[in-house]
Amino acid sequence: MPVPSLLAVFAHPDDESLVAGGTLARHAAAGARTAVVTTTWAADTPRAAELADALHILGAGRPRLLGYADSRAPRSAPGSPRLCDAPLDEAVGALVAQIRDFRPDIVVTHDAYGGLTGHEDHVHTHRVTLLAAHAAGLERLYPDAGEPWQPSALYLSTHPHSAVRAWGGHLAPTGKTMLTVPDDRVTTTVDVTGWLDRKIAAVLAHRTEVERGAAPGLIAALPAPERERLLGTEWYIRHGLVAKAPRETELKP
């Protein structure tokens, strides 16, 4: 069977590589169409150029930037509103247009916590993506955003409680809270060690974040075994979409 096409939607340049880089590389290596939508940062910024390098490594095509400002970096998109301040309907419509243009089988985004650190842009990107993934299939919503297209599945990138053993020692010195889910909430565990070289190369392509000591900088400083321990597995929660729902005559738990 053909490998399903995959559209990843994340808040910032580097999110895609850190939490879904292995999955993107794995799908691309199997011949699937893959792409990434980034909700913040403008196309003419250094971080957008670094994103292009990372996506080339992962086989995920050109950057697709919605162009909103990072809530903590106004220079990320001069003249544009912060993602969290933009009208919700506008942001959802912009993402619907990307989904209808790419027509993916699967959409991937942040979980409801916004990942380990709970960054507000991650959380808002999660909300916008859930709305857009449903709206994209409805012809009377956003009629100017292209022909309707309903993805078959939506997966939320997450970390289980058990991952704290791996990540805790590295994030503790930064003072960042780690937001994880019970292990039994994870529906999909993907071993990406076979694509780890590409994933790490994509993470390190985000040179600005390496230099300032953000997560890519932490990864750059680690020995290979520790990199594999932190990045060799990717976890997801499958979120149902209408297109694949069973026929029912009553609500069921």
Side-chain angles (χ1 to χ4, degrees):
M1 294 181 62
V3 179
S5 55
L6 177 64
L7 178 67
V9 184
F10 291 109
H12 309 116
D14 82 356
D15 293 334
E16 79 298 323
S17 300
L18 285 164
V19 300
T23 300
L24 285 161
R26 179 178 179 174
H27 277 246
R33 294 185 305 115
T34 61
V36 174
V37 173
T38 308
T39 58
T40 67
W41 288 78
D44 58 353
T45 58
R47 288 198 64 185
E50 294 167 359
L51 175 63
D53 292 342
L55 298 189
H56 178 73
I57 292 167
L58 297 174
R62 60 177 176 82
R64 295 167 176 258
L65 296 133
L66 296 192
Y68 294 107
D70 182 322
S71 67
R72 303 180 189 179
R75 70 187 185 284
S76 59
S80 295
R82 300 190 320 157
L83 172 66
C84 293
D85 295 336
L88 181 61
D89 192 58
E90 174 194 287
V92 171
L95 183 52
V96 165
Q98 292 289 342
I99 293 172
R100 289 178 178 173
D101 176 66
F102 188 72
R103 304 174 80 79
D105 297 313
I106 296 171
V107 173
V108 171
T109 192
H110 301 283
D111 68 7
Y113 284 137
L116 282 176
T117 61
H119 192 294
E120 60 270 22
D121 288 343
H122 295 187
V123 174
H124 198 60
T125 295
H126 162 83
R127 296 167 179 159
V128 168
T129 305
L130 261 62
L131 291 171
H134 286 276
L138 299 173
E139 71 277 5
R140 295 187 181 181
L141 291 178
Y142 309 100
D144 297 330
E147 290 298 313
W149 175 261
Q150 180 64 71
S152 298
L154 174 63
Y155 283 87
L156 310 178
S157 174
T158 197
H159 287 79
H161 290 338
S162 59
V164 171
R165 291 192 294 271
W167 278 95
H170 298 285
L171 289 183
T174 70
K176 292 182 177 179
T177 301
M178 289 182 294
L179 301 174
T180 57
V181 302
D183 284 50
D184 61 6
R185 292 292 301 274
V186 174
T187 64
T188 310
T189 301
V190 183
D191 179 354
V192 298
T193 52
W195 296 269
L196 195 57
D197 287 349
R198 294 189 198 180
K199 176 175 179 174
I200 291 172
V203 169
L204 300 183
H206 293 282
R207 295 173 293 280
T208 300
E209 297 301 275
V210 171
E211 292 167 3
R212 78 179 188 92
L218 296 176
I219 299 303
L222 295 176
E226 193 67 2
R227 289 178 177 179
E228 180 172 340
R229 190 168 77 95
L230 289 181
L231 300 178
T233 303
E234 293 172 358
W235 300 273
Y236 300 94
I237 299 169
R238 183 182 175 104
H239 181 90
L241 287 172
V242 170
K244 292 296 182 180
R247 299 287 182 179
E248 299 176 331
T249 57
E250 61 184 355
L251 300 182
K252 297 178 181 178

